[in-house]
Amino acid sequence: MTPEPDTQTAEETDARHAAKMAKIKVARDKIMATKSGEKGLIIVHTGAGKGKSSSAFGMIVRCVAHGFPCAVVQFIKGAWDTGERRLLTGHFGDLCQFHAMGEGFTWETQDRARDIAEVVDFLKTHKPPMTHVVLTGRNAKDELIEIADLVTEMTLVKHPFRGGVKAQAGIEF
């Protein structure tokens, strides 16, 4: 059985689409009218997939574009000469500070409880109310996810490292 050809004209299709979008807009406007609060968010990008740090640096670029003061605090890859660090310190050092802290990659510290306790304690007791904090890394712990306002998990589908390709400038750093 062959389907019947679409007998609607382009104008009828456009009109149906416009009516559907108008209904959606009314619903969205109603939802948006209930949103008025602002607060400093705790945002977590986690998971085995690529893009966690890239997303966080995208937010830093947005802050810089709006003239907001911001900072990058890295507890891993501290000694690496990254493109992000070059750009931010070279062109936007007046707005964005860059700090390399900690002991390097988390698998080198070997103190899971301390790593979790220090970060969660700071976020609960010392983070200024209107300051946004974005944290990135694989396997975010439940304690961190619990206090976060937004959690996104990046899923690994395919990665060149598994095929023997090393980290490359402009892609990973």
Side-chain angles (χ1 to χ4, degrees), residues 5 10 23 25 60 63 67 69 77 86 89 116 120 123 127 137 152 155:
K23 285 182 185 179
K25 181 178 177 0
I60 287 286
C63 287
K77 304 179 198 173
R86 283 184 189 184
T89 59
I116 293 169
V120 172
L123 293 172
K127 182 185 85 61
T152 300
T155 302

Short mmCIF file of all heavy atoms in Angstrom, two decimals, residues 5 10 23 25 60 63 67 69 77 86 89 116 120 123 127 137 152 155:
data_model
loop_
_atom_site.label_atom_id
_atom_site.label_comp_id
_atom_site.label_asym_id
_atom_site.label_seq_id
_atom_site.Cartn_x
_atom_site.Cartn_y
_atom_site.Cartn_z
N PRO A 5 -0.29 10.99 -1.26
CA PRO A 5 0.57 12.18 -1.30
C PRO A 5 0.02 13.27 -0.38
O PRO A 5 -1.19 13.35 -0.14
CB PRO A 5 0.51 12.61 -2.77
CG PRO A 5 -0.71 11.96 -3.34
CD PRO A 5 -0.96 10.73 -2.52
N ALA A 10 1.94 24.58 0.74
CA ALA A 10 3.01 25.13 1.58
C ALA A 10 2.44 26.15 2.57
O ALA A 10 2.86 26.20 3.73
CB ALA A 10 4.08 25.77 0.71
N LYS A 23 1.29 28.03 20.29
CA LYS A 23 0.88 27.31 21.51
C LYS A 23 2.08 27.02 22.40
O LYS A 23 2.01 27.18 23.62
CB LYS A 23 0.18 26.00 21.14
CG LYS A 23 -1.21 26.16 20.62
CD LYS A 23 -1.83 24.80 20.33
CE LYS A 23 -3.18 24.95 19.69
NZ LYS A 23 -3.79 23.64 19.37
N LYS A 25 4.87 28.72 22.49
CA LYS A 25 5.33 29.99 23.04
C LYS A 25 4.50 30.40 24.24
O LYS A 25 5.04 30.85 25.26
CB LYS A 25 5.32 31.09 21.99
CG LYS A 25 5.83 32.42 22.54
CD LYS A 25 5.87 33.49 21.50
CE LYS A 25 6.29 34.85 22.00
NZ LYS A 25 6.62 35.06 23.36
N ILE A 60 33.72 30.49 30.66
CA ILE A 60 34.70 31.54 30.99
C ILE A 60 34.73 32.59 29.88
O ILE A 60 34.73 33.80 30.16
CB ILE A 60 36.11 30.93 31.19
CG1 ILE A 60 36.18 30.16 32.50
CG2 ILE A 60 37.20 31.98 31.11
CD1 ILE A 60 36.24 31.01 33.74
N CYS A 63 31.81 34.83 30.24
CA CYS A 63 32.01 35.79 31.33
C CYS A 63 32.90 36.93 30.89
O CYS A 63 32.60 38.10 31.15
CB CYS A 63 32.61 35.08 32.56
SG CYS A 63 31.44 34.01 33.41
N GLY A 67 32.31 41.08 30.49
CA GLY A 67 33.10 41.92 31.37
C GLY A 67 33.09 41.47 32.82
O GLY A 67 33.44 42.25 33.71
N PRO A 69 34.45 39.53 36.06
CA PRO A 69 35.71 38.94 36.54
C PRO A 69 35.53 37.44 36.75
O PRO A 69 34.45 36.98 37.16
CB PRO A 69 35.95 39.66 37.88
CG PRO A 69 34.60 40.12 38.32
CD PRO A 69 33.80 40.36 37.06
N LYS A 77 46.74 18.99 35.45
CA LYS A 77 47.36 19.55 34.25
C LYS A 77 47.98 20.91 34.53
O LYS A 77 48.13 21.72 33.64
CB LYS A 77 46.34 19.69 33.11
CG LYS A 77 45.63 18.43 32.72
CD LYS A 77 44.64 18.72 31.62
CE LYS A 77 43.63 17.62 31.49
NZ LYS A 77 42.56 17.91 30.56
N ARG A 86 46.95 30.23 27.54
CA ARG A 86 47.60 31.24 26.71
C ARG A 86 46.63 32.36 26.33
O ARG A 86 46.95 33.54 26.43
CB ARG A 86 48.13 30.62 25.42
CG ARG A 86 49.39 29.84 25.58
CD ARG A 86 49.85 29.38 24.21
NE ARG A 86 50.95 28.44 24.31
CZ ARG A 86 51.58 27.96 23.27
NH1 ARG A 86 51.23 28.31 22.05
NH2 ARG A 86 52.56 27.11 23.44
N THR A 89 45.30 34.39 29.75
CA THR A 89 46.31 35.22 30.40
C THR A 89 46.91 36.24 29.44
O THR A 89 47.26 37.35 29.84
CB THR A 89 47.42 34.37 31.04
OG1 THR A 89 48.06 33.58 30.03
CG2 THR A 89 46.88 33.48 32.14
N ILE A 116 37.60 14.97 48.20
CA ILE A 116 36.15 15.22 48.27
C ILE A 116 35.83 16.23 49.36
O ILE A 116 35.12 17.20 49.14
CB ILE A 116 35.38 13.91 48.50
CG1 ILE A 116 35.51 12.99 47.29
CG2 ILE A 116 33.90 14.20 48.80
CD1 ILE A 116 35.00 11.58 47.54
N VAL A 120 33.96 19.97 48.71
CA VAL A 120 32.58 20.08 49.19
C VAL A 120 32.49 21.08 50.34
O VAL A 120 31.57 21.89 50.38
CB VAL A 120 32.03 18.69 49.58
CG1 VAL A 120 30.67 18.81 50.26
CG2 VAL A 120 31.91 17.81 48.33
N LEU A 123 32.60 24.63 48.94
CA LEU A 123 31.37 24.99 48.24
C LEU A 123 30.21 25.23 49.22
O LEU A 123 29.40 26.12 49.00
CB LEU A 123 30.99 23.91 47.23
CG LEU A 123 31.96 23.77 46.06
CD1 LEU A 123 31.61 22.53 45.23
CD2 LEU A 123 31.97 25.02 45.20
N LYS A 127 31.90 29.55 49.50
CA LYS A 127 31.58 30.10 48.18
C LYS A 127 30.67 31.32 48.36
O LYS A 127 29.62 31.24 48.99
CB LYS A 127 30.87 29.06 47.32
CG LYS A 127 30.55 29.57 45.91
CD LYS A 127 29.76 28.58 45.10
CE LYS A 127 28.29 28.66 45.34
NZ LYS A 127 27.63 29.92 45.01
N GLY A 137 35.35 16.91 35.69
CA GLY A 137 36.14 15.73 35.96
C GLY A 137 35.29 14.47 35.88
O GLY A 137 34.08 14.51 36.08
N THR A 152 25.83 17.75 34.38
CA THR A 152 25.77 17.20 33.03
C THR A 152 26.78 16.07 32.94
O THR A 152 27.93 16.24 33.36
CB THR A 152 26.11 18.28 31.98
OG1 THR A 152 25.16 19.33 32.08
CG2 THR A 152 26.06 17.69 30.57
N THR A 155 29.05 11.55 27.81
CA THR A 155 29.14 10.12 27.52
C THR A 155 30.17 9.87 26.43
O THR A 155 30.12 10.51 25.37
CB THR A 155 27.77 9.59 27.06
OG1 THR A 155 26.81 9.86 28.08
CG2 THR A 155 27.82 8.10 26.80
#
